[in-house]
């Protein structure tokens, strides 16, 4: 899509002494950007900086790939916007074009050529930023027009809108300036503009970073890992995969974890936070996984081999075996009615265990309130299935 907007024409006379480029004539300006009753000073400040360009019929105002350093107001004649040799828009006096490429400092994505002899008035990116500081209503109005006229907000328009919001709210990078550069300063100013655009992209990333981090509550391990843009996008796109790398959890171990009944219903960010807190352990035959205790401080998920669980309760001593995808130790987080008096866990053969402390599991439940439904399932399982409870 072209960056132009069609508007009903209004205007006023600009005298030569009122323009920095000694241009005089009638400026047909877009009323959706300027209101002479409310923004007369802004309109005249823009007119002061406009640079006239006479374009012959068939000549290009800009081509695909040209650097986006300015926007253009159609003042006389008519211009066409072409993409892949197809005319996608026709602009009459009172229209403007090129504002998105200018805001993003990106190359042009369309050809714009004159249909008949025409005149366009150029406003450079330096002047636009200067005017945006002096008259915040101008970027605010352009923001409204882009929002209203774009149909759907694609990525380019979305980034341009963010920059306009910052300009309108005076949330600006210090490399912006309030005076027009001299010829000697242009090279330095061009470097400053490039630095500003780089800084603005970092600001945009920070805004998006804030939104992305909301997937994980304050205090979560995953949120603590979100220290830069690249890491944050990696985490939000594949949170579980990233979490596996924190404690070197293998794919086979993850599948074992997913076999546990109360884990199956976890959302991806909930599962990722749990995986980030797991401690994988490898056991040889007869290794004591959990010494005899009346209050287990960890939950153990068997991911390979077998574990012998010995528990004592009011009903006496009970011994059973747990295998891959089963767990023990839940009495530490949701004691069952039968009253566990003692728990001991020993490996029967070479085995692998995923350990998560009861304290960490409770933290996860409090971080993700939706997981309280899993707490009910935990309690039911700990009462009914001794092979799963501790």
């Amino acid at each position: 899509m072209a960056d132009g907007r069609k508007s009903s024409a209004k205007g006023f006379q600009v005298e030569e002494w009122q323009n920095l480029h000694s241009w005089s004539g009638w400026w047909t300006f877009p009323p959706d950007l300027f209101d002479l009753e409310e923004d007369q000073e802004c309109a005249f400040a823009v007119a002061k900086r406009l640079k006239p360009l006479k374009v012959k019929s068939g000549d290009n105002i800009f081509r695909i790939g040209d650097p986006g350093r300015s926007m253009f107001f159609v003042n006389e004649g008519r211009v066409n916007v072409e993409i892949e040799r197809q005319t996608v828009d026709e602009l009459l006096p009172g229209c403007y074009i090129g504002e998105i490429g200018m805001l993003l400092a990106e190359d042009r994505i369309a050809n714009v050529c004159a249909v008949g002899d025409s005149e366009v008035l150029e406003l450079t990116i330096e002047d636009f930023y200067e005017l945006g500081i002096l008259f915040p209503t101008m970027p605010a109005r352009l923001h409204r027009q882009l929002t209203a006229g774009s149909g759907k907000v694609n990525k380019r328009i979305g980034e341009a809108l963010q920059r306009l919001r910052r300009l309108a709210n005076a949330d600006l990078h210090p490399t912006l300036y309030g005076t027009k550069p001299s010829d000697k300063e242009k090279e330095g100013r061009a470097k400053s503009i490039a630095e500003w655009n780089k800084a603005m992209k970092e600001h945009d990333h920070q805004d998006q970073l804030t939104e992305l981090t909301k997937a994980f509550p304050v205090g979560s391990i995953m949120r603590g890992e979100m220290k830069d843009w690249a890491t944050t996008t990696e985490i939000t796109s594949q949170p579980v995969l990233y979490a596996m790398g924190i404690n070197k959890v293998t794919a086979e171990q993850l599948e074992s974890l997913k076999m546990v009944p109360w884990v199956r219903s976890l959302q991806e960010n909930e599962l990722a936070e749990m995986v980030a807190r797991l401690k994988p352990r490898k056991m040889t035959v007869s290794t004591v996984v959990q010494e005899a205790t009346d209050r287990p401080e960890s939950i153990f998920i068997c991911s390979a081999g077998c574990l012998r669980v010995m528990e004592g309760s009011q009903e006496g001593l009970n011994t059973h075996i747990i295998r891959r995808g089963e767990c023990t130790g839940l009495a530490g987080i949701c004691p069952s009615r039968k009253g566990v008096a003692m728990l001991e866990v020993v490996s029967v053969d070479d085995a692998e265990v995923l350990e998560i402390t009861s304290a960490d599991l409770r933290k996860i439940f409090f971080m993700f309130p939706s997981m309280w439904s899993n707490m009910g399932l935990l309690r039911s399982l700990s009462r009914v299935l001794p092979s799963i409870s501790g």
Side-chain angles (χ1 to χ4, degrees):
M1 287 293 292
D3 294 340
R5 298 289 180 269
K6 294 189 175 182
S7 305
S8 57
K10 291 186 179 181
F12 58 86
Q13 180 66 31
V14 180
E15 301 299 337
E16 186 175 330
W17 60 270
Q18 294 176 309
N19 183 266
L20 293 173
H21 302 283
S22 301
W23 171 70
S24 65
W26 184 266
W27 179 29
T28 306
F29 69 88
D32 54 9
L33 290 189
F34 309 103
D35 186 329
L36 287 185
E37 294 183 1
E38 298 180 3
D39 305 320
Q40 182 174 352
E41 187 178 358
C42 176
F44 277 93
V46 174
K48 178 181 178 180
R49 293 159 174 79
L50 294 176
K51 180 180 179 181
L53 296 175
K54 295 287 187 181
V55 189
K56 293 184 179 180
S57 179
D59 286 353
N60 286 285
I61 299 167
F62 57 75
R63 293 175 176 271
I64 293 175
D66 287 349
R69 304 292 303 163
S70 54
M71 64 182 294
F72 299 88
F73 298 90
V74 181
N75 199 47
E76 295 178 5
R78 179 164 53 96
V79 301
N80 281 352
V81 181
E82 299 178 351
I83 297 178
E84 296 181 351
R85 299 183 180 179
Q86 298 291 323
T87 299
V88 297
D89 207 351
E90 180 184 82
L91 306 179
L92 302 175
C95 300
Y96 52 94
I97 186 75
E99 72 279 9
I100 294 180
M102 176 191 71
L103 289 168
L104 301 181
E106 291 183 349
D107 293 344
R108 304 297 188 183
I109 62 170
N111 296 322
V112 177
C113 62
V115 181
D117 293 346
S118 304
E119 180 185 56
V120 295
L121 304 174
E122 182 180 14
L123 182 67
T124 66
I125 188 172
E126 294 92 344
D127 286 334
F128 182 86
Y129 288 153
E130 178 186 345
L131 290 163
I133 296 171
L134 299 173
F135 306 99
T137 54
M138 187 181 76
R141 282 176 175 267
L142 182 55
H143 182 282
R144 286 197 296 270
Q145 293 306 313
L146 281 176
T147 304
S150 61
K152 62 178 182 179
V153 178
N154 59 34
K155 184 178 180 181
R156 293 182 75 245
I157 293 177
E159 291 179 0
L161 290 174
Q162 283 189 330
R163 298 192 181 193
L164 286 170
R165 282 195 296 273
R166 291 189 177 281
L167 196 56
N169 295 330
D171 181 12
L172 304 170
H173 192 270
T175 54
L176 292 181
Y177 18 76
T179 58
K180 187 174 179 63
S182 65
D183 291 340
K184 290 182 179 180
E185 294 174 318
K186 284 183 178 179
E187 184 176 347
R189 289 293 176 87
K191 182 179 179 181
S192 294
I193 286 290
E195 291 174 351
W196 186 88
N197 276 283
K198 180 181 179 181
M200 184 58 77
K201 285 187 176 181
E202 292 174 356
H203 281 306
D204 294 345
H205 281 172
Q206 190 59 46
D207 281 349
Q208 296 173 49
L209 204 67
T210 301
E211 289 299 314
L212 290 174
T213 55
K214 290 180 181 178
F216 293 95
V218 175
S220 70
I221 289 179
M222 298 299 288
R223 184 159 181 164
E225 291 286 317
M226 295 178 170
K227 297 176 181 177
D228 55 56
W229 173 252
T231 305
T232 301
T233 52
E234 181 183 355
I235 289 174
T236 52
S237 61
Q238 294 183 308
V240 177
L241 184 62
Y242 185 93
M244 291 169 65
I246 295 176
N247 291 323
K248 304 296 187 290
V249 176
T250 67
E252 291 77 11
Q253 290 170 336
L254 178 65
E255 288 305 311
S256 301
L257 176 65
K258 290 181 177 180
M259 294 169 65
V260 178
W262 53 271
V263 175
R264 292 173 191 163
S265 61
L266 295 185
Q267 300 295 319
E268 195 170 23
N269 55 343
E270 298 166 347
L271 178 61
E273 185 65 24
M274 184 174 180
V275 170
R277 295 172 183 268
L278 290 176
K279 180 183 177 182
R281 296 172 58 183
K282 290 188 177 183
M283 313 290 173
T284 56
V285 178
S286 300
T287 299
V288 177
V289 180
Q290 169 71 64
E291 294 183 354
T293 178
D294 61 350
R295 188 66 174 177
E297 296 182 354
S298 294
I299 290 90
F300 302 97
I301 298 102
C302 183
S303 58
C306 300
L307 303 175
R308 183 180 72 249
V309 178
M310 183 182 298
E311 61 179 20
S313 68
Q314 296 173 355
E315 301 172 357
L317 191 65
N318 176 42
T319 303
H320 55 272
I321 300 296
I322 66 170
R323 296 175 175 80
R324 185 183 182 215
E326 297 177 334
C327 69
T328 187
L330 293 180
I333 190 170
C334 52
S336 62
R337 291 173 181 169
K338 61 191 176 186
V340 173
M342 183 274 292
L343 177 72
E344 181 183 72
V345 183
V346 180
S347 60
V348 176
D349 51 13
D350 291 344
E352 292 183 5
V353 171
L354 299 173
E355 178 182 1
I356 183 169
T357 66
S358 301
D360 274 342
L361 193 56
R362 280 192 292 270
K363 285 180 183 178
I364 297 173
F365 276 99
F366 280 104
M367 286 179 189
F368 300 98
S370 61
M371 288 182 63
W372 283 107
S373 60
N374 290 60
M375 178 62 79
L377 179 58
L378 277 171
R379 291 186 184 278
S380 299
L381 292 171
S382 66
R383 293 168 185 162
V384 176
L385 302 177
S387 64
I388 294 178
S389 71

